[in-house]
């Protein structure tokens, strides 16, 4: 195939370099070289080109044959399609019947299961109701017992608190009495103490008076000249 393009290039070169004919657009080319290159082109062309030419020559015959074969194939395809459609319709009808039968069976099973579950639910409901009633009664009884126990404990606690209140009141009264007695005893002791202190102060005052008289007598005696009058004792102390 490469030789074809090479020969064509050489033909173009020969034509371009050929000597022109004056006053015309023609040219003079070497016949032998041209024929040799054309033979090379013919030899280099593949056999498929000849086959293509044969096909072109027998075009109408091939087209008619192809049309006949296509019509036969179309008719066969239509027949097969009709047969397939018929079989598909039959299969679909059969599958539809099977589906209906299975659906009816499933519905029957579902109804039976639903009835069984409803019955079981009702039984469970009754059981739960009975258990709830028993539990509620038990809780009510327990609540009543707890209430009564709490009331009783409250009463005992109230009595205890009341008794404690009386004890507290008695304790307050006793403490007030003790405080009053303590104040009275303190007042009595204060009076006794004041009397004792007053007595002691009176005795001390008397002692001071006697001492002062004795001191005055001694001073007077010291002031008297010797030999005057009778001698008196130096100290006149009388307790």
């Amino acid at each position: 195939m490469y030789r074809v393009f090479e020969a064509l290039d050489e033909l173009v070169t020969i034509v371009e370099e050929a000597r022109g004919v004056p006053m015309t657009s023609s040219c003079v080319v070497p016949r032998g070289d041209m024929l040799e290159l054309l033979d090379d082109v013919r030899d280099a062309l593949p056999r498929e080109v000849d086959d293509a030419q044969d096909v072109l020559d027998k075009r109408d015959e091939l087209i008619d044959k192809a049309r006949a074969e296509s019509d036969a194939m179309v008719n066969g395809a239509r027949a097969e399609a009709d047969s397939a459609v018929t079989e598909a319709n039959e299969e679909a009808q059969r599958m539809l019947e099977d589906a209906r039968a299975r659906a009816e069976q499933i519905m029957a099973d579902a109804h039976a299961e639903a009835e069984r579950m409803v019955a079981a639910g009702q039984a469970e409901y009754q059981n739960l109701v009975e258990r709830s009633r028993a539990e509620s009664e038990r809780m009510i009884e327990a609540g009543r017992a707890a209430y009564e126990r709490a009331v009783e404990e409250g009463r005992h606690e109230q009595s205890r608190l009341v008794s404690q209140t009386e004890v507290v009141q008695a304790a307050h009264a006793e403490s007030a009495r003790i405080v009053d007695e303590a104040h009275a005893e303190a007042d009595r002791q204060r009076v006794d103490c004041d009397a004792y202190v007053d007595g002691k102060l009176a005795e001390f005052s008397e002692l001071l008076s006697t001492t002062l008289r004795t001191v005055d007598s001694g001073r007077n005696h010291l002031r008297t000249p010797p030999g005057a009058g009778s001698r008196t004792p130096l100290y006149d102390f009388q307790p």
Side-chain angles (χ1 to χ4, degrees):
M1 195 66 183
Y2 176 75
R3 179 56 186 161
V4 173
F5 294 105
E6 187 178 8
L8 291 175
D9 292 336
E10 291 179 1
L11 288 173
V12 171
T13 302
I14 291 172
V15 172
E16 289 178 351
E17 295 178 355
R19 185 177 57 185
V21 177
M23 304 300 292
T24 64
S25 60
S26 300
C27 63
V28 178
V29 295
R31 181 180 297 174
D33 294 338
M34 295 293 291
L35 292 175
E36 184 179 357
L37 290 173
L38 290 174
D39 290 336
D40 291 338
V41 171
R42 184 184 294 114
D43 294 335
L45 288 175
R47 183 174 298 276
E48 286 78 4
V49 177
D50 294 336
D51 295 338
Q53 185 63 38
D54 294 337
V55 170
L56 291 175
D57 295 337
K58 298 179 180 180
R59 179 181 59 186
D60 295 335
E61 182 181 354
L62 292 174
I63 290 173
D64 293 336
K65 185 178 180 181
R67 285 178 180 175
E69 291 179 356
S70 64
D71 292 337
M73 292 177 66
V74 168
N75 292 328
R78 286 178 180 175
E80 291 180 359
D82 293 337
S83 177
V85 169
T86 302
E87 292 178 357
N89 289 330
E90 293 176 355
E91 183 67 18
Q93 189 67 27
R94 185 183 62 78
M95 292 177 66
L96 182 60
E97 294 296 332
D98 292 340
R100 286 177 180 174
R102 293 180 63 183
E104 291 176 357
Q105 182 64 33
I106 291 172
M107 289 295 294
D109 295 340
H111 282 299
E113 183 67 17
E115 291 177 356
R116 186 186 65 79
M117 292 180 67
V118 168
Q122 289 179 351
E124 184 68 19
Y125 170 75
Q126 294 295 332
N127 187 15
L128 288 174
V129 168
E130 294 297 330
R131 290 171 58 187
S132 299
R133 287 177 181 174
E135 184 67 18
S136 63
E137 291 176 357
R138 186 186 65 79
M139 292 179 67
I140 290 171
E141 292 296 329
R144 288 177 180 174
Y147 171 75
E148 292 177 357
R149 185 170 61 253
V151 170
E152 188 66 24
E153 291 177 356
R155 289 175 180 174
H156 287 298
E157 184 68 16
Q158 183 180 6
S159 300
R160 186 180 65 80
L161 291 174
V162 169
S163 62
Q164 287 183 355
T165 303
E166 293 176 354
V167 170
V168 169
Q169 291 177 354
H172 281 299
E174 183 66 19
S175 64
R177 185 184 63 78
I178 292 172
V179 169
D180 293 337
E181 290 180 356
H183 284 299
E185 182 66 19
D187 293 337
R188 186 184 62 77
Q189 289 182 3
R190 186 181 297 108
V191 171
D192 293 342
C193 182
D194 291 340
Y196 176 77
V197 171
D198 185 66
K200 290 297 182 181
L201 289 175
E203 291 178 358
F204 185 68
S205 177
E206 184 67 23
L207 179 61
L208 287 177
S209 298
T210 303
T211 303
L212 288 174
R213 285 196 303 271
T214 302
V215 170
D216 290 338
S217 177
R219 290 177 65 190
N220 292 329
H221 179 72
L222 290 175
R223 290 174 182 172
T224 302
S230 61
R231 297 180 61 88
T232 58
L234 182 61
Y235 298 102
D236 186 10
F237 177 75
Q238 293 181 1

